[in-house]
Every structure is written in C-alpha cells, then in structure tokens.
Amino acid sequence: MTHEAQRDFAERREAGNRAILGEGNLLLRRFFALDHDAYSEGTLSTKDKELQGLVASTVLRCNDCISYHLGQAKACGATRSEVVESLGVALVVGGSIVIPHLRHAFAVLDELWGEKGAAGGPRSDVRGDA
C-alpha cells in the first residue's frame, strides 16, 4: 500500500463515517461511541488494544480494518516487532485462509514502519508457498 493509498483509505473512511453519523441515528452513534471507548486507555494500554484489534481484523479478514489498526498501532507507539508478533498470533488463530490478508498487512506495515529488508536482512527463511 503506497502513501497515497493510505491517504485515500483514510479519506474514504472519514467520509463514510461522516455519512453514517450524519444520519443522527442513536443506535449508530452509540455503537461508534462504544467502539471509540473500547480502544481508550484502561487496564490495557491503547497500544495493546490496537494490536488486539489488528489480530481480530486479520482473523476476520477485513483489509480496511487491518489498515486502520496498523495506523492506530503505529500512532500508539507499537514497534514493528510487536506488530509482526501480533500478526503471527492472527495466523495461528485464523489459519492459512488469513495469508492473503497477511500480505496486505505486510504491505501496509512496510509503508508505515519501513521495509524489513531495508533494515538489513531477508524477511524470512521459509518458502511461503501459501
């Protein structure tokens, strides 16, 4: 995902949210408030909650959600290693069907944190046939 693609995603997301909330429907507004509150600092840090959201989004195979939670995780100070480990959990939980979504996640990860190869060394020593 390029910087331009990330910007387009953020703009589409914001416009869509404005359209939804602009209806003034109480149920929709309450759900959005609940979602916002769920990721607020609490016993768990916001960063940990965003990483959990990333795992859930990957298992549920939602690329828009993956992009969103990666951006939020980055903003909360998550490291590349924390994100990669979280994506590993998602793979174990979700199985091989999440691999196409891992590819999306790693494209966004590389854009936000920089390519692993750029920091030195190959990404993996496994075949990655899936």
Side-chain angles (χ1 to χ4, degrees):
M1 179 177 260
T2 65
H3 181 67
E4 184 176 306
Q6 287 174 284
R7 187 181 65 243
D8 289 347
F9 164 73
E11 289 172 0
R12 267 188 304 110
R13 183 180 181 280
E14 183 62 33
N17 287 350
R18 276 194 311 271
I20 293 165
L21 294 172
E23 288 296 319
N25 180 279
L26 185 59
L27 178 61
L28 296 174
R29 288 182 167 280
R30 283 182 175 167
F31 183 86
F32 272 66
L34 176 65
D35 181 70
H36 175 269
D37 291 349
Y39 288 92
S40 297
E41 198 76 20
T43 303
L44 293 174
S45 70
T46 299
K47 178 181 81 170
D48 288 339
K49 291 177 181 184
E50 289 298 341
L51 292 171
Q52 289 177 347
L54 174 62
V55 170
S57 297
T58 305
V59 171
L60 292 170
R61 301 184 309 264
C62 176
N63 283 349
D64 278 359
C65 302
I66 290 167
S67 296
Y68 174 76
H69 287 292
L70 283 169
Q72 293 299 108
K74 174 75 172 176
C76 291
T79 66
R80 182 184 180 96
S81 294
E82 290 171 323
V83 169
V84 170
E85 192 166 324
S86 297
L87 290 169
V89 171
L91 177 59
V92 169
V93 172
S96 63
I97 197 157
V98 305
I99 290 173
H101 304 280
L102 284 179
R103 292 181 186 119
H104 172 80
F106 274 86
V108 176
L109 175 71
D110 286 349
E111 182 64 33
L112 293 173
W113 277 267
E115 287 191 45
K116 176 70 172 174
R123 289 184 193 206
S124 173
D125 60 356
V126 296
R127 288 181 43 202
D129 291 337

